[in-house]
Amino acid sequence: MTVYIEQIAAHEGQEVTIRGWLHNRRSSGKIHFLTVRDGTGFIQAVMSKSGVSPETFQQADHLSQESSIVLTGTARADTRAPGGFEIDVTALDVVAPAHDYPVTPKEHGVDYLMDRRHLWIRTERQNAILRIRHEIVNAIRDFFNDRGFILADTPIFTPAACEGTTTLFSVQYFEDATAYLTQSGQLYNEANAMALGRVYCFGPTFRAEKSKTRRHLTEFWMVEPEMAYATLDDVITLGEALVTFVVGRALDRRARELRVLERETKNLEQVQTPFPRLSYDEAAKILKEKGLPFEWGGDFGGTDETVLSEQFDRPVAVHRYPSAIKAFYMKPDPDRPELSLSVDILAPEGYGEIIGGGQRLDNYELLLERIKAHNLPQDAFEWYLDLRRYGSVPHAGFGMGVERVVAWICGLEHVRETIPYPRMLYRLYP
RNA sequence: UCCUCAGUAGCUCAAUGGCAGAGCAUCCGGCUGUUAACCGGAGGGUUGUAGGUUCGAGUCCUACCUGAGGAGCCA
């Protein structure tokens, strides 16, 4: 019976067939140990000289790493096996050999591995990360779907800059026009929320910033919810519920993968609502007290974010940033107009900003003023102004960067390992 | 774009300005419980590129190329 390795426990004592690849091989002359992987897991197959034909035993002796193989044998529980089970091999079929496989079980440098990313993802560690990413993406979709949000995807080709701040990738759009790859579904989300109430978009996002840090990719995935008739408070509550749900799902369903990564889960288990909420003013005060060279009015740098998040055992919501350092569409705080009704949620352990959002400017005159002040082309924003012309309501939303969440939950040094093929400043291959 | 660091065998790395080395991988041999198995042997080099200093450069100097980390900007 053909089975997947992840289901092996249900077949103890039975004869099973595994279809996969040879991950590693050890031998003691008259006994071979073949570590096989099939995409669902890794298992050690034991082949003794007395258990198979001489030809099969000889063949296994020369089997190279990553050769594709189909093997049959008896599933047996064994306390010595990392997964709890082994297979006593009775038959082996080599589908295709692999010669001089470059990603050996030994150490390799980052550049070497990145050039071979298409092979690197076969390793147990990368496998675990991508499985956790899958779980996180699924959890995000379930979270919004279960709460009545409608998935309404926003365009990837856009006619103009959404926020006017970051550098965009441009592409030739047929003969005459230039299109830009989206940096946020935000503005379209607002229109969708006016049509559907509560919506979210979930897709790739592109930033042509020449950022060269462990927290940046040029192409990354972002989920952006937007709600009509919602306030800053509503999005903070939604954000902390989302983060808590996603972390809980990863702990619940991907414990094995987190163990592979040797992730300390104690910190993740503390992620429960409510999150501490800190005004920008209070955050600035903390940074001053810690002796950092931070001036009120500026945005937080990487070090600032790390210091702030270290004050708490769970993510922290920092709200009401100065309007001057936030996007033009942020609504001013009625009590203090120099502040915006904005929020960033910072992950613990120095992983930085994972959520950014707030309440949107819903007043026509003020929005028009802001568009002009930011030197944005008004005609490109006429449709966006329409949302304030025809039944404007308070509304709010945020964006959450998937790769940063995955890096945090997995405890990774760099976001480049959280996506199968990362796109970075100097990385477009493979 | 700026700052810092790195580039030597297929991979990971050594080598005081003085003979180009090790482990792993590969190939050959040994081993019936290995977990990155181990033991013995063999093959494997335009020291990123181009100049310069020196009796002599992997090593020092200059420029360039490639990459990494960080800054700015952001999720």
Side-chain angles (χ1 to χ4, degrees), chain A residues 24 26-28 44 86 106 108-109 207 211 214 216-217 353 404 416:
Chain A
N24 197 10
R26 292 173 289 275
S27 178
S28 293
Q44 177 164 277
E86 290 189 344
K106 297 290 177 180
H108 299 288
R207 304 263 167 103
S211 298
R214 66 186 67 196
H216 288 88
L217 298 173
E353 184 185 344
R404 286 191 184 174
R416 65 187 161 214

Short mmCIF file of all heavy atoms in Angstrom, two decimals, chain A residues 24 26-28 44 86 106 108-109 207 211 214 216-217 353 404 416, chain B residues 1 11-12 24 31-37 68-70 72-75:
data_model
loop_
_atom_site.label_atom_id
_atom_site.label_comp_id
_atom_site.label_asym_id
_atom_site.label_seq_id
_atom_site.Cartn_x
_atom_site.Cartn_y
_atom_site.Cartn_z
N ASN A 24 19.66 10.93 2.64
CA ASN A 24 21.00 10.64 3.15
C ASN A 24 21.14 9.12 3.27
O ASN A 24 20.16 8.41 3.33
CB ASN A 24 21.20 11.32 4.52
CG ASN A 24 22.67 11.41 4.88
OD1 ASN A 24 23.54 11.14 4.05
ND2 ASN A 24 22.96 11.78 6.12
N ARG A 26 23.68 5.98 5.12
CA ARG A 26 24.80 5.52 5.94
C ARG A 26 24.88 4.02 5.77
O ARG A 26 23.89 3.38 5.44
CB ARG A 26 24.57 5.87 7.42
CG ARG A 26 24.62 7.34 7.73
CD ARG A 26 24.22 7.61 9.17
NE ARG A 26 22.80 7.39 9.37
CZ ARG A 26 21.85 8.31 9.12
NH1 ARG A 26 22.20 9.51 8.69
NH2 ARG A 26 20.58 8.04 9.31
N SER A 27 26.05 3.45 6.03
CA SER A 27 26.18 2.01 5.83
C SER A 27 27.18 1.42 6.82
O SER A 27 28.14 2.07 7.21
CB SER A 27 26.64 1.73 4.41
OG SER A 27 26.83 0.35 4.24
N SER A 28 26.91 0.19 7.21
CA SER A 28 27.87 -0.53 8.04
C SER A 28 28.30 -1.81 7.35
O SER A 28 28.58 -2.81 8.00
CB SER A 28 27.26 -0.86 9.40
OG SER A 28 27.03 0.30 10.13
N GLN A 44 13.65 6.96 8.27
CA GLN A 44 14.81 6.11 8.00
C GLN A 44 14.34 4.73 7.59
O GLN A 44 13.53 4.11 8.28
CB GLN A 44 15.71 6.03 9.22
CG GLN A 44 16.89 5.09 9.02
CD GLN A 44 17.98 5.28 10.04
OE1 GLN A 44 18.82 6.16 9.91
NE2 GLN A 44 17.97 4.47 11.07
N GLU A 86 10.35 3.40 11.66
CA GLU A 86 11.33 3.06 10.63
C GLU A 86 10.66 2.09 9.66
O GLU A 86 9.59 1.56 9.95
CB GLU A 86 12.56 2.39 11.25
CG GLU A 86 13.43 3.33 12.06
CD GLU A 86 14.74 2.68 12.48
OE1 GLU A 86 14.83 1.44 12.41
OE2 GLU A 86 15.65 3.43 12.88
N LYS A 106 26.06 18.95 4.71
CA LYS A 106 27.02 19.78 5.45
C LYS A 106 26.67 21.26 5.29
O LYS A 106 25.72 21.62 4.64
CB LYS A 106 28.43 19.51 4.92
CG LYS A 106 28.88 18.08 5.15
CD LYS A 106 29.13 17.81 6.61
CE LYS A 106 29.52 16.34 6.82
NZ LYS A 106 29.78 16.02 8.22
N HIS A 108 26.64 25.18 4.21
CA HIS A 108 26.80 25.97 2.99
C HIS A 108 26.57 27.43 3.33
O HIS A 108 25.90 27.76 4.30
CB HIS A 108 25.79 25.54 1.93
CG HIS A 108 25.93 24.12 1.49
ND1 HIS A 108 26.97 23.70 0.71
CD2 HIS A 108 25.19 23.02 1.74
CE1 HIS A 108 26.85 22.39 0.50
NE2 HIS A 108 25.78 21.96 1.13
N GLY A 109 27.12 28.30 2.47
CA GLY A 109 26.91 29.73 2.67
C GLY A 109 25.57 30.17 2.12
O GLY A 109 24.95 29.47 1.32
N ARG A 207 7.80 46.65 -3.72
CA ARG A 207 8.43 47.91 -3.32
C ARG A 207 9.83 47.96 -3.93
O ARG A 207 10.63 47.06 -3.72
CB ARG A 207 8.54 48.00 -1.79
CG ARG A 207 7.20 47.83 -1.05
CD ARG A 207 6.55 49.14 -0.68
NE ARG A 207 5.18 48.95 -0.25
CZ ARG A 207 4.75 48.97 1.02
NH1 ARG A 207 5.63 49.18 2.00
NH2 ARG A 207 3.48 48.82 1.31
N SER A 211 16.16 48.62 -0.09
CA SER A 211 16.36 48.19 1.29
C SER A 211 17.20 46.93 1.31
O SER A 211 16.97 46.01 0.55
CB SER A 211 15.02 47.91 1.96
OG SER A 211 14.25 49.08 2.00
N ARG A 214 17.47 42.42 6.92
CA ARG A 214 16.88 41.10 7.12
C ARG A 214 15.37 41.14 7.18
O ARG A 214 14.71 40.11 7.26
CB ARG A 214 17.45 40.47 8.39
CG ARG A 214 17.04 41.21 9.67
CD ARG A 214 17.73 40.64 10.88
NE ARG A 214 19.17 40.88 10.84
CZ ARG A 214 20.05 40.24 11.62
NH1 ARG A 214 19.62 39.32 12.44
NH2 ARG A 214 21.32 40.53 11.56
N HIS A 216 13.44 42.91 4.82
CA HIS A 216 12.89 43.42 3.56
C HIS A 216 13.00 42.46 2.38
O HIS A 216 14.02 41.82 2.18
CB HIS A 216 13.61 44.72 3.18
CG HIS A 216 13.25 45.87 4.05
ND1 HIS A 216 13.91 46.15 5.21
CD2 HIS A 216 12.28 46.80 3.94
CE1 HIS A 216 13.36 47.21 5.78
NE2 HIS A 216 12.36 47.63 5.03
N LEU A 217 11.94 42.43 1.59
CA LEU A 217 11.94 41.78 0.29
C LEU A 217 11.38 42.81 -0.69
O LEU A 217 10.63 43.71 -0.28
CB LEU A 217 11.04 40.54 0.29
CG LEU A 217 11.42 39.41 1.25
CD1 LEU A 217 10.33 38.35 1.26
CD2 LEU A 217 12.75 38.80 0.87
N GLU A 353 7.92 45.75 12.91
CA GLU A 353 6.54 46.04 12.55
C GLU A 353 5.95 44.91 11.71
O GLU A 353 6.45 44.60 10.64
CB GLU A 353 6.51 47.36 11.77
CG GLU A 353 5.12 47.83 11.41
CD GLU A 353 5.14 49.08 10.53
OE1 GLU A 353 6.20 49.74 10.46
OE2 GLU A 353 4.12 49.37 9.90
N ARG A 404 7.11 38.68 7.46
CA ARG A 404 7.61 39.07 8.78
C ARG A 404 6.94 38.24 9.88
O ARG A 404 7.58 37.88 10.86
CB ARG A 404 7.38 40.55 9.03
CG ARG A 404 8.34 41.42 8.24
CD ARG A 404 8.28 42.86 8.69
NE ARG A 404 9.13 43.68 7.85
CZ ARG A 404 9.20 45.01 7.93
NH1 ARG A 404 8.42 45.65 8.79
NH2 ARG A 404 10.00 45.68 7.16
N ARG A 416 14.16 36.15 4.13
CA ARG A 416 14.38 35.51 2.82
C ARG A 416 14.04 34.02 2.82
O ARG A 416 13.84 33.44 1.76
CB ARG A 416 15.81 35.72 2.36
CG ARG A 416 16.84 35.03 3.23
CD ARG A 416 18.26 35.39 2.84
NE ARG A 416 19.14 35.07 3.96
CZ ARG A 416 20.22 35.76 4.28
NH1 ARG A 416 20.59 36.79 3.57
NH2 ARG A 416 20.96 35.43 5.31
P U B 1 24.04 52.86 -6.64
OP1 U B 1 22.68 52.90 -7.18
OP2 U B 1 25.23 53.11 -7.47
"O5'" U B 1 24.11 53.87 -5.43
"C5'" U B 1 24.18 55.29 -5.62
"C4'" U B 1 24.03 56.00 -4.31
"O4'" U B 1 22.72 55.69 -3.74
"C3'" U B 1 25.00 55.59 -3.22
"O3'" U B 1 26.25 56.26 -3.36
"C2'" U B 1 24.27 55.97 -1.95
"O2'" U B 1 24.38 57.35 -1.70
"C1'" U B 1 22.81 55.66 -2.32
N1 U B 1 22.37 54.32 -1.84
C2 U B 1 22.10 54.18 -0.48
O2 U B 1 22.21 55.10 0.30
N3 U B 1 21.69 52.93 -0.10
C4 U B 1 21.54 51.82 -0.91
O4 U B 1 21.17 50.77 -0.41
C5 U B 1 21.84 52.04 -2.28
C6 U B 1 22.24 53.26 -2.70
P C B 11 32.33 25.74 -4.63
OP1 C B 11 31.50 26.91 -5.00
OP2 C B 11 33.80 25.89 -4.50
"O5'" C B 11 31.77 25.16 -3.27
"C5'" C B 11 30.37 24.99 -3.08
"C4'" C B 11 30.10 24.41 -1.71
"O4'" C B 11 30.72 23.10 -1.62
"C3'" C B 11 30.72 25.20 -0.56
"O3'" C B 11 29.86 26.25 -0.13
"C2'" C B 11 30.89 24.13 0.51
"O2'" C B 11 29.67 23.86 1.15
"C1'" C B 11 31.27 22.91 -0.33
N1 C B 11 32.72 22.70 -0.46
C2 C B 11 33.43 22.18 0.63
O2 C B 11 32.82 21.94 1.68
N3 C B 11 34.76 21.95 0.51
C4 C B 11 35.38 22.22 -0.63
N4 C B 11 36.69 21.98 -0.71
C5 C B 11 34.69 22.75 -1.76
C6 C B 11 33.37 22.97 -1.63
P U B 12 30.49 27.57 0.52
OP1 U B 12 29.36 28.49 0.77
OP2 U B 12 31.63 28.01 -0.30
"O5'" U B 12 31.06 27.06 1.92
"C5'" U B 12 30.16 26.70 2.97
"C4'" U B 12 30.94 26.29 4.19
"O4'" U B 12 31.67 25.07 3.92
"C3'" U B 12 32.03 27.27 4.63
"O3'" U B 12 31.50 28.35 5.38
"C2'" U B 12 32.96 26.37 5.44
"O2'" U B 12 32.43 26.13 6.72
"C1'" U B 12 32.90 25.06 4.64
N1 U B 12 34.01 24.93 3.68
C2 U B 12 35.19 24.38 4.15
O2 U B 12 35.33 24.01 5.30
N3 U B 12 36.20 24.26 3.22
C4 U B 12 36.14 24.65 1.89
O4 U B 12 37.13 24.49 1.18
C5 U B 12 34.90 25.22 1.49
C6 U B 12 33.90 25.34 2.37
P C B 24 36.26 13.82 6.79
OP1 C B 24 35.71 12.73 7.61
OP2 C B 24 37.35 13.55 5.82
"O5'" C B 24 35.05 14.50 5.99
"C5'" C B 24 33.81 14.75 6.62
"C4'" C B 24 32.93 15.63 5.76
"O4'" C B 24 33.67 16.83 5.39
"C3'" C B 24 32.53 15.04 4.40
"O3'" C B 24 31.45 14.14 4.50
"C2'" C B 24 32.16 16.30 3.63
"O2'" C B 24 30.90 16.79 4.03
"C1'" C B 24 33.25 17.27 4.12
N1 C B 24 34.40 17.27 3.20
C2 C B 24 34.27 17.98 2.00
O2 C B 24 33.21 18.58 1.77
N3 C B 24 35.30 17.99 1.12
C4 C B 24 36.42 17.33 1.39
N4 C B 24 37.40 17.36 0.51
C5 C B 24 36.58 16.58 2.61
C6 C B 24 35.54 16.59 3.47
P C B 31 33.99 -6.03 5.72
OP1 C B 31 34.13 -7.48 5.99
OP2 C B 31 33.30 -5.57 4.49
"O5'" C B 31 33.28 -5.35 6.96
"C5'" C B 31 33.75 -5.60 8.29
"C4'" C B 31 33.16 -4.59 9.24
"O4'" C B 31 33.56 -3.25 8.84
"C3'" C B 31 31.63 -4.52 9.27
"O3'" C B 31 31.05 -5.53 10.06
"C2'" C B 31 31.41 -3.12 9.84
"O2'" C B 31 31.61 -3.09 11.22
"C1'" C B 31 32.53 -2.33 9.15
N1 C B 31 32.08 -1.70 7.89
C2 C B 31 31.45 -0.44 7.97
O2 C B 31 31.31 0.09 9.08
N3 C B 31 31.02 0.16 6.84
C4 C B 31 31.19 -0.44 5.66
N4 C B 31 30.75 0.17 4.57
C5 C B 31 31.82 -1.72 5.55
C6 C B 31 32.24 -2.30 6.69
P U B 32 29.74 -6.34 9.57
OP1 U B 32 29.84 -7.78 9.89
OP2 U B 32 29.52 -5.90 8.16
"O5'" U B 32 28.57 -5.72 10.44
"C5'" U B 32 28.17 -4.35 10.29
"C4'" U B 32 26.80 -4.15 10.86
"O4'" U B 32 25.83 -4.89 10.06
"C3'" U B 32 26.63 -4.64 12.30
"O3'" U B 32 25.76 -3.72 12.95
"C2'" U B 32 25.92 -5.99 12.13
"O2'" U B 32 25.12 -6.35 13.23
"C1'" U B 32 25.04 -5.69 10.91
N1 U B 32 24.62 -6.89 10.17
C2 U B 32 23.26 -7.17 10.20
O2 U B 32 22.47 -6.49 10.79
N3 U B 32 22.91 -8.31 9.51
C4 U B 32 23.73 -9.14 8.81
O4 U B 32 23.27 -10.10 8.23
C5 U B 32 25.12 -8.77 8.84
C6 U B 32 25.51 -7.70 9.51
P G B 33 25.97 -3.35 14.52
OP1 G B 33 27.37 -2.98 14.76
OP2 G B 33 25.31 -4.37 15.36
"O5'" G B 33 25.08 -2.04 14.57
"C5'" G B 33 25.38 -0.91 13.74
"C4'" G B 33 24.46 0.22 14.13
"O4'" G B 33 23.15 -0.03 13.55
"C3'" G B 33 24.23 0.36 15.63
"O3'" G B 33 23.99 1.73 15.93
"C2'" G B 33 22.93 -0.37 15.86
"O2'" G B 33 22.22 0.05 17.00
"C1'" G B 33 22.19 0.00 14.58
N9 G B 33 21.10 -0.91 14.21
C8 G B 33 21.14 -2.26 14.06
N7 G B 33 19.98 -2.76 13.70
C5 G B 33 19.13 -1.66 13.64
C6 G B 33 17.76 -1.57 13.31
O6 G B 33 16.98 -2.49 13.00
N1 G B 33 17.29 -0.28 13.39
C2 G B 33 18.06 0.80 13.72
N2 G B 33 17.44 1.97 13.73
N3 G B 33 19.35 0.75 14.03
C4 G B 33 19.80 -0.51 13.96
P U B 34 25.07 2.63 16.66
OP1 U B 34 26.31 1.87 16.91
OP2 U B 34 24.37 3.29 17.78
"O5'" U B 34 25.34 3.73 15.55
"C5'" U B 34 26.33 3.51 14.56
"C4'" U B 34 25.90 4.17 13.28
"O4'" U B 34 24.80 3.45 12.70
"C3'" U B 34 25.39 5.60 13.43
"O3'" U B 34 26.46 6.51 13.51
"C2'" U B 34 24.55 5.77 12.18
"O2'" U B 34 25.36 6.06 11.06
"C1'" U B 34 23.97 4.36 11.99
N1 U B 34 22.59 4.23 12.47
C2 U B 34 21.59 4.78 11.70
O2 U B 34 21.80 5.37 10.66
N3 U B 34 20.33 4.59 12.19
C4 U B 34 19.97 3.94 13.34
O4 U B 34 18.78 3.86 13.65
C5 U B 34 21.07 3.41 14.09
C6 U B 34 22.31 3.57 13.64
P U B 35 26.18 7.94 14.23
OP1 U B 35 27.47 8.66 14.24
OP2 U B 35 25.44 7.71 15.51
"O5'" U B 35 25.19 8.66 13.22
"C5'" U B 35 24.98 10.03 13.30
"C4'" U B 35 23.64 10.40 12.72
"O4'" U B 35 22.75 9.26 12.68
"C3'" U B 35 22.93 11.47 13.55
"O3'" U B 35 22.38 12.44 12.69
"C2'" U B 35 21.82 10.69 14.27
"O2'" U B 35 20.68 11.45 14.52
"C1'" U B 35 21.53 9.58 13.26
N1 U B 35 20.98 8.40 13.96
C2 U B 35 19.66 8.08 13.77
O2 U B 35 18.93 8.71 13.01
N3 U B 35 19.21 7.01 14.49
C4 U B 35 19.95 6.25 15.36
O4 U B 35 19.41 5.31 15.94
C5 U B 35 21.32 6.65 15.51
C6 U B 35 21.78 7.70 14.83
P A B 36 22.62 13.97 13.04
OP1 A B 36 23.57 14.13 14.17
OP2 A B 36 21.26 14.50 13.12
"O5'" A B 36 23.31 14.57 11.75
"C5'" A B 36 22.77 14.27 10.47
"C4'" A B 36 23.86 14.42 9.43
"O4'" A B 36 24.38 15.76 9.49
"C3'" A B 36 25.05 13.48 9.63
"O3'" A B 36 25.57 13.11 8.36
"C2'" A B 36 26.07 14.36 10.33
"O2'" A B 36 27.40 13.98 10.12
"C1'" A B 36 25.78 15.70 9.65
N9 A B 36 26.20 16.85 10.45
C8 A B 36 26.05 17.06 11.77
N7 A B 36 26.53 18.18 12.19
C5 A B 36 27.04 18.77 11.05
C6 A B 36 27.69 19.98 10.82
N6 A B 36 27.95 20.85 11.76
N1 A B 36 28.08 20.24 9.55
C2 A B 36 27.81 19.36 8.60
N3 A B 36 27.20 18.18 8.70
C4 A B 36 26.84 17.95 9.96
P A B 37 25.30 11.56 7.93
OP1 A B 37 26.02 11.33 6.68
OP2 A B 37 23.85 11.39 8.02
"O5'" A B 37 25.95 10.71 9.12
"C5'" A B 37 27.34 10.43 9.09
"C4'" A B 37 27.71 9.81 10.41
"O4'" A B 37 27.08 8.51 10.52
"C3'" A B 37 29.20 9.53 10.58
"O3'" A B 37 29.92 10.68 10.98
"C2'" A B 37 29.18 8.45 11.66
"O2'" A B 37 28.93 9.00 12.94
"C1'" A B 37 27.94 7.64 11.23
N9 A B 37 28.33 6.53 10.34
C8 A B 37 28.15 6.41 8.99
N7 A B 37 28.61 5.30 8.48
C5 A B 37 29.13 4.63 9.57
C6 A B 37 29.76 3.38 9.70
N6 A B 37 29.97 2.55 8.69
N1 A B 37 30.16 3.01 10.93
C2 A B 37 29.95 3.85 11.95
N3 A B 37 29.35 5.04 11.96
C4 A B 37 28.97 5.37 10.73
P A B 68 23.51 38.98 -0.80
OP1 A B 68 22.30 38.16 -0.71
OP2 A B 68 23.43 40.37 -1.30
"O5'" A B 68 24.22 39.00 0.62
"C5'" A B 68 24.42 37.80 1.36
"C4'" A B 68 25.17 38.09 2.64
"O4'" A B 68 26.47 38.66 2.31
"C3'" A B 68 24.53 39.12 3.55
"O3'" A B 68 23.52 38.56 4.36
"C2'" A B 68 25.73 39.61 4.36
"O2'" A B 68 26.08 38.69 5.36
"C1'" A B 68 26.82 39.62 3.30
N9 A B 68 26.96 40.93 2.63
C8 A B 68 26.53 41.29 1.38
N7 A B 68 26.81 42.53 1.07
C5 A B 68 27.48 43.02 2.18
C6 A B 68 28.05 44.27 2.46
N6 A B 68 28.04 45.30 1.62
N1 A B 68 28.64 44.42 3.68
C2 A B 68 28.65 43.39 4.52
N3 A B 68 28.15 42.16 4.36
C4 A B 68 27.58 42.04 3.15
P G B 69 22.25 39.44 4.80
OP1 G B 69 21.29 38.53 5.46
OP2 G B 69 21.82 40.26 3.64
"O5'" G B 69 22.86 40.41 5.89
"C5'" G B 69 23.26 39.90 7.15
"C4'" G B 69 23.96 40.96 7.95
"O4'" G B 69 25.14 41.40 7.23
"C3'" G B 69 23.18 42.25 8.17
"O3'" G B 69 22.25 42.14 9.23
"C2'" G B 69 24.30 43.24 8.48
"O2'" G B 69 24.77 43.07 9.80
"C1'" G B 69 25.38 42.77 7.51
N9 G B 69 25.33 43.53 6.24
C8 G B 69 24.78 43.14 5.05
N7 G B 69 24.89 44.05 4.11
C5 G B 69 25.54 45.09 4.73
C6 G B 69 25.94 46.36 4.22
O6 G B 69 25.80 46.82 3.08
N1 G B 69 26.57 47.13 5.19
C2 G B 69 26.79 46.73 6.49
N2 G B 69 27.41 47.60 7.28
N3 G B 69 26.43 45.55 6.97
C4 G B 69 25.81 44.79 6.04
P G B 70 20.87 42.98 9.18
OP1 G B 70 20.13 42.63 10.41
OP2 G B 70 20.23 42.80 7.86
"O5'" G B 70 21.38 44.49 9.28
"C5'" G B 70 21.73 45.04 10.53
"C4'" G B 70 22.45 46.36 10.36
"O4'" G B 70 23.44 46.27 9.31
"C3'" G B 70 21.62 47.56 9.93
"O3'" G B 70 20.84 48.08 10.99
"C2'" G B 70 22.70 48.53 9.49
"O2'" G B 70 23.35 49.09 10.60
"C1'" G B 70 23.68 47.57 8.79
N9 G B 70 23.45 47.56 7.34
C8 G B 70 22.90 46.58 6.57
N7 G B 70 22.84 46.89 5.29
C5 G B 70 23.38 48.17 5.23
C6 G B 70 23.58 49.03 4.12
O6 G B 70 23.30 48.84 2.93
N1 G B 70 24.16 50.24 4.50
C2 G B 70 24.49 50.57 5.79
N2 G B 70 25.05 51.79 5.97
N3 G B 70 24.32 49.77 6.83
C4 G B 70 23.76 48.59 6.48
P G B 72 17.73 54.11 10.27
OP1 G B 72 17.40 54.99 11.40
OP2 G B 72 17.16 52.75 10.20
"O5'" G B 72 17.37 54.87 8.92
"C5'" G B 72 17.65 56.25 8.75
"C4'" G B 72 17.54 56.62 7.30
"O4'" G B 72 18.44 55.77 6.53
"C3'" G B 72 16.18 56.38 6.67
"O3'" G B 72 15.31 57.49 6.85
"C2'" G B 72 16.52 56.16 5.20
"O2'" G B 72 16.72 57.39 4.53
"C1'" G B 72 17.85 55.43 5.30
N9 G B 72 17.67 53.97 5.25
C8 G B 72 17.46 53.11 6.29
N7 G B 72 17.34 51.86 5.93
C5 G B 72 17.47 51.90 4.55
C6 G B 72 17.43 50.86 3.59
O6 G B 72 17.26 49.66 3.77
N1 G B 72 17.61 51.35 2.30
C2 G B 72 17.82 52.67 1.98
N2 G B 72 17.97 52.94 0.69
N3 G B 72 17.86 53.65 2.86
C4 G B 72 17.69 53.20 4.11
P C B 73 13.84 57.28 7.39
OP1 C B 73 13.19 58.60 7.39
OP2 C B 73 13.90 56.49 8.63
"O5'" C B 73 13.16 56.39 6.26
"C5'" C B 73 12.72 56.99 5.04
"C4'" C B 73 12.21 55.92 4.12
"O4'" C B 73 13.25 54.93 3.93
"C3'" C B 73 11.03 55.09 4.66
"O3'" C B 73 9.79 55.73 4.45
"C2'" C B 73 11.16 53.80 3.87
"O2'" C B 73 10.64 53.95 2.57
"C1'" C B 73 12.67 53.65 3.79
N1 C B 73 13.19 52.75 4.86
C2 C B 73 13.38 51.39 4.56
O2 C B 73 13.10 51.00 3.42
N3 C B 73 13.85 50.57 5.52
C4 C B 73 14.13 51.04 6.74
N4 C B 73 14.58 50.19 7.65
C5 C B 73 13.94 52.41 7.07
C6 C B 73 13.48 53.22 6.11
P C B 74 8.59 55.54 5.51
OP1 C B 74 7.39 56.14 4.93
OP2 C B 74 9.07 55.99 6.82
"O5'" C B 74 8.40 53.97 5.57
"C5'" C B 74 7.21 53.37 5.08
"C4'" C B 74 7.51 52.00 4.54
"O4'" C B 74 8.91 51.72 4.73
"C3'" C B 74 6.80 50.86 5.25
"O3'" C B 74 5.51 50.65 4.73
"C2'" C B 74 7.72 49.68 4.94
"O2'" C B 74 7.49 49.20 3.63
"C1'" C B 74 9.10 50.34 5.00
N1 C B 74 9.77 50.19 6.30
C2 C B 74 10.20 48.91 6.69
O2 C B 74 9.97 47.94 5.96
N3 C B 74 10.84 48.77 7.87
C4 C B 74 11.06 49.83 8.65
N4 C B 74 11.70 49.64 9.79
C5 C B 74 10.63 51.14 8.28
C6 C B 74 10.00 51.27 7.10
P A B 75 4.27 50.22 5.73
OP1 A B 75 3.04 50.72 5.11
OP2 A B 75 4.63 50.67 7.08
"O5'" A B 75 4.23 48.63 5.74
"C5'" A B 75 3.00 47.97 5.98
"C4'" A B 75 3.24 46.58 6.45
"O4'" A B 75 3.98 45.83 5.44
"C3'" A B 75 4.04 46.46 7.74
"O3'" A B 75 3.60 45.36 8.51
"C2'" A B 75 5.45 46.20 7.24
"O2'" A B 75 6.24 45.53 8.16
"C1'" A B 75 5.18 45.35 6.00
N9 A B 75 6.22 45.48 5.00
C8 A B 75 6.58 46.62 4.34
N7 A B 75 7.56 46.43 3.48
C5 A B 75 7.85 45.08 3.58
C6 A B 75 8.80 44.28 2.94
N6 A B 75 9.64 44.74 2.01
N1 A B 75 8.85 42.96 3.27
C2 A B 75 7.99 42.52 4.19
N3 A B 75 7.06 43.19 4.87
C4 A B 75 7.03 44.48 4.52
#
